[in-house]
Amino acid sequence: MMLASTLRRAFPKTRSQITPIKQLSGAAGAPADVCNLNIVSSPFPPIMESTHYKPVPEFVSADWENAKWSNKVAIRDGNTGETRTFSDYNTYMHNIASALRFEYLLQPNETVALLSPNNIDYLPICLAVAMCGSKLTPLNPLCTESEVTTILDRSSSKILFTHAKLLPVALGAVAKSKTVKHIVVIPDVAKDTDLPSGSVDLQSLAGYKHAPNLTESVNEVHDHVKDVNNHPWLLPYSSGTTGLPKGVCLSHGNMIANLLQLDEVEGMVFQIDHKLISPLPFFHIYGFLASLLYCGWRGQELITTSDRFDLPHFCKLVEDHKPERAHLVPPIILGLAKHPIVDNYDLSSLDMIISAAAPLGKETEDAAKKRLDTEIKQAWGMSELSPLGTMNPDYNIKTGSIGQLVSSTYGKILDTETGKSLGPGKQGELVIKGPQVMMGYLNEPGKTVECLSSDGWLRTGDMAYYDDDGYFYITDRIKELIKVRGFPVAPAELEELLLTNEHVQDVAVIQVPNEEAGELPRAYVVLKPTSDANEVTDQYLKDWVKERVAPQKRLDGGVLFIDQVPKSASGKILRRILRDEAKKELE
């Protein structure tokens, strides 16, 4: 607790008092005339220009063979006890890249998918793909077979890395996929795995034997990446502001910019000898960039978990390894605030908890701070922002706020009726511009245009306002996305699935609040006239969906039967009406 309190005394005034709000009329890349006022700028120092960036693997691994880093633990799996050093990271990255490039003939701009829980080799795999100039699509390990197949084919993935625990799902998905040619299996340290025909063990790639000049040849693949802003690397799937999941193209430049932006907020307080504990899934952009990639670049030990989250186990890891910082989501912070078992553990090493991925209520934030005697601050972002957009600095945290815009970033609040930008304290849609804004959606130019303007402004779909110090507050969401324990769930995806049921004539899905999960999906269903309501019950439909989707997509918010789904004249579902009805019901 000493470092944070010292910094707050050293910086009694907020940086946002420097110039949180600028008038940018007439500036290059400025928005349309109707909304060129009240643009909020970042109070943090600007980051370096992208012309100086190297490709991500070279940028992140620059010090891995440094004498101070090489034998230092880079990552620790709190479930298996496995570790990797930074030297291991370096060796595995180069060897896997060599195998991919020269054995599997992976070409620049081809795609590799990764279906795995958190694993100590997750980062070397991802960076090896980047070394080949290829794209990497991380997949939720809880995805069903059909969900995996859909993303494999949409991303045109040529190679699938999968964990041995997920082989049944992976093999079923690949059998239906039109694009996957090779499977690489990450071994399960708890038991031996019989490799299916045609697959290969990750260790054979990690130990790939090559001539001394072969690694140099792999590095030379990056000669074509002259402009890191125009070459995609990461391809997470997101529902964006609406609709079905889409591939978010994030360039090398996007990711490096966001690392530098995060470092302007965290670098001074998150020291090189400090540890971070993060049970966040690495397939999720928050855990991937803020936890995995940032610690890999900064040379800090990351403590993670490869199994389902367990609160007592998490507390024991904090007690045993004494990390100074934690990356968490609101449901975990709620458990730390209220669960009696927390009192059995010493969590005093935690100096700061960062919460993101979903809104954290002020009451929960205050309760956890008081109980743990630690600081908690919020950050905000989305896949389309690589993901970080705003963050509270350690030395001036505003409870309930998602913080200030990160370096080299501009924001504005647009009136949803007029499109004009609004001043402090007025609520509208949050729109962001900065070097971390995505390239666009993969093969979805129409969807890209819907949310990304020609001069680089990204519509976030979040309702928000900012105060006189340039701190932002999220109040609601225009977008239809449901956030279940921080995981995005697209209503359109569940609606599309339910419409394949022989008894369902029409359906609308909305979110309902839940203290533990944040939000849960609820379906409003119109049955076909021929269906027997006594047989097609709410439980029947909940169970039917449960068999076909990942856990966060289950209809745990309930199923209600209605006579007609409210729609506009153009046929668009009016989810707002259903949300208002649900709100009255809950009140």
Side-chain angles (χ1 to χ4, degrees):
M1 297 294 292
M2 289 296 293
L3 178 60
S5 60
T6 301
L7 282 168
R8 282 190 290 276
R9 288 194 297 271
F11 297 91
K13 296 182 179 180
T14 74
R15 286 186 184 177
S16 62
Q17 290 177 331
I18 298 171
T19 46
I21 302 170
K22 292 182 179 178
Q23 305 291 337
L24 295 184
S25 291
D33 290 342
V34 294
C35 54
N36 63 353
L37 300 176
N38 301 311
I39 295 178
V40 185
S41 64
S42 172
F44 300 103
I47 58 173
M48 76 168 80
E49 294 292 330
S50 61
T51 51
H52 301 294
Y53 297 169
K54 296 179 179 179
V56 168
E58 295 159 38
F59 179 86
V60 171
S61 68
D63 293 316
W64 283 359
E65 290 294 87
N66 182 306
K68 293 182 179 179
W69 286 31
S70 59
N71 293 320
K72 182 180 179 181
V73 171
I75 189 169
R76 183 184 305 275
D77 185 332
N79 290 109
T80 67
E82 294 175 284
T83 62
R84 288 279 185 264
T85 65
F86 286 100
S87 180
D88 294 333
Y89 264 5
N90 196 61
T91 300
Y92 275 49
M93 176 183 72
H94 283 90
N95 290 357
I96 294 170
S98 298
L100 290 176
R101 182 71 181 91
F102 297 101
E103 290 294 319
Y104 292 90
L105 303 179
L106 182 65
Q107 299 299 307
N109 289 315
E110 289 187 323
T111 306
V112 174
L114 175 53
L115 176 68
S116 174
N118 289 5
N119 182 269
I120 57 172
D121 294 321
Y122 207 100
L123 185 57
I125 292 170
C126 296
L127 294 180
V129 172
M131 287 188 74
C132 297
S134 307
K135 298 188 290 289
L136 187 283
T137 291
L139 292 166
N140 185 342
L142 298 179
C143 279
T144 63
E145 184 179 299
S146 61
E147 290 170 329
V148 173
T149 302
T150 297
I151 294 179
L152 290 176
D153 287 348
R154 286 187 182 179
S155 62
S156 300
S157 292
K158 178 181 178 179
I159 300 170
L160 173 64
F161 282 79
T162 187
H163 196 278
K165 292 179 180 179
L166 304 176
L167 263 176
V169 171
L171 292 174
V174 169
K176 299 174 184 176
S177 171
K178 302 171 184 176
T179 63
V180 176
K181 306 299 181 187
H182 308 283
I183 300 177
V184 180
V185 180
I186 302 169
D188 182 355
V189 295
K191 62 179 181 181
D192 294 331
T193 303
D194 293 328
L195 293 180
S197 176
S199 66
V200 64
D201 191 290
L202 173 68
Q203 295 306 314
S204 66
L205 274 69
Y208 186 77
K209 303 301 181 184
H210 56 269
N213 65 342
L214 198 56
T215 298
E216 295 174 10
S217 298
V218 175
N219 283 329
E220 289 171 7
V221 172
H222 274 306
D223 282 350
H224 74 283
V225 190
K226 299 299 183 184
D227 184 356
V228 293
N229 292 318
N230 292 320
H231 193 84
W233 168 44
L234 202 66
L235 189 65
Y237 270 74
S238 166
S239 296
T241 57
T242 185
L244 297 172
K246 299 170 282 293
V248 179
C249 288
L250 299 175
S251 69
H252 287 249
N254 288 148
M255 302 300 286
I256 292 172
N258 215 219
L259 285 174
L260 294 170
Q261 290 168 322
L262 176 59
D263 198 50
E264 284 295 339
V265 187
E266 294 287 273
M268 186 166 58
V269 290
F270 188 14
Q271 299 179 29
I272 192 70
D273 58 340
H274 285 185
K275 301 175 185 177
L276 171 74
I277 186 165
S278 177
L280 305 177
F282 294 159
F283 81 87
H284 192 284
I285 191 72
Y286 172 22
F288 184 86
L289 181 123
S291 302
L292 182 66
L293 199 60
Y294 185 72
C295 284
W297 172 50
R298 285 289 308 276
Q300 287 142 331
E301 180 178 332
L302 172 61
I303 303 159
T304 191
T305 52
S306 55
D307 210 340
R308 284 182 174 271
F309 181 80
D310 178 77
L311 185 60
H313 183 246
F314 171 81
C315 292
K316 187 69 167 63
L317 287 175
V318 174
E319 182 176 76
D320 289 348
H321 298 286
K322 296 180 170 39
E324 287 81 3
R325 293 175 97 74
H327 287 169
L328 304 177
V329 290
I332 296 177
I333 296 173
L334 178 65
L336 291 172
K338 296 189 174 183
H339 201 294
I341 202 167
V342 174
D343 293 329
N344 297 337
Y345 299 91
D346 178 8
L347 308 183
S348 60
S349 68
L350 287 178
D351 185 57
M352 180 64 69
I353 293 173
I354 295 93
S355 176
L360 176 64
K362 185 179 184 301
E363 180 182 337
T364 300
E365 184 175 345
D366 287 338
K369 285 165 61 176
K370 182 177 180 181
R371 186 182 195 190
L372 302 178
D373 189 26
T374 189
E375 292 293 337
I376 298 176
K377 66 177 185 178
Q378 294 193 57
W380 167 88
M382 56 195 298
S383 297
E384 289 81 353
L385 286 172
S386 306
L388 190 63
T390 67
M391 194 173 197
N392 277 276
D394 276 32
Y395 51 81
N396 198 344
I397 300 168
K398 288 197 178 185
T399 302
S401 171
I402 57 170
Q404 300 163 296
L405 295 164
V406 294
S407 295
S408 302
T409 300
Y410 298 97
K412 57 186 176 181
I413 300 295
L414 296 186
D415 186 297
T416 55
E417 298 293 330
T418 67
K420 292 183 178 181
S421 55
L422 303 173
K426 296 179 181 179
Q427 181 176 284
E429 182 178 6
L430 175 58
V431 184
I432 297 289
K433 184 176 184 178
Q436 74 273 44
V437 172
M438 68 171 179
M439 300 173 66
Y441 293 122
L442 180 70
N443 301 325
E444 297 264 15
K447 296 297 182 183
T448 299
V449 170
E450 286 180 12
C451 68
L452 188 58
S453 73
S454 58
D455 51 3
W457 287 96
L458 177 74
R459 292 185 58 188
T460 68
D462 281 323
M463 293 292 286
Y465 69 90
Y466 60 91
D467 63 21
D468 290 329
D469 292 325
Y471 281 74
F472 284 79
Y473 299 78
I474 299 294
T475 59
D476 202 351
R477 282 206 301 277
I478 299 173
K479 57 189 178 185
E480 299 160 354
L481 206 60
I482 302 168
K483 281 292 188 75
V484 182
R485 296 180 175 84
F487 297 111
V489 176
E493 185 177 3
L494 286 173
E495 289 162 356
E496 187 176 89
L497 173 63
L498 281 161
L499 286 171
T500 66
N501 183 282
E502 59 181 342
H503 300 291
V504 176
Q505 178 171 294
D506 204 358
V507 62
V509 174
I510 65 166
Q511 65 270 54
V512 291
N514 177 268
E515 185 179 34
E516 291 187 3
E519 294 175 342
L520 293 172
R522 171 186 283 187
Y524 289 80
V525 176
V526 179
L527 293 177
K528 292 180 178 179
T530 54
S531 297
D532 187 345
N534 292 320
E535 294 182 6
V536 186
T537 63
D538 59 341
Q539 192 59 50
Y540 159 78
L541 285 176
K542 288 172 71 174
D543 291 342
W544 186 87
V545 170
K546 181 179 179 179
E547 294 174 359
R548 292 162 172 80
V549 299
Q552 71 270 17
K553 300 177 185 177
R554 296 171 183 170
L555 297 176
D556 291 333
V559 174
L560 276 67
F561 296 102
I562 56 177
D563 296 328
Q564 185 178 2
V565 172
K567 295 182 180 180
S568 67
S570 62
K572 184 176 181 179
I573 296 174
L574 299 175
R575 292 188 178 84
R576 173 182 51 79
I577 294 175
L578 297 174
R579 286 197 295 268
D580 289 345
E581 291 180 0
K583 185 177 180 180
K584 291 178 182 178
E585 170 202 327
L586 294 170
E587 287 174 351

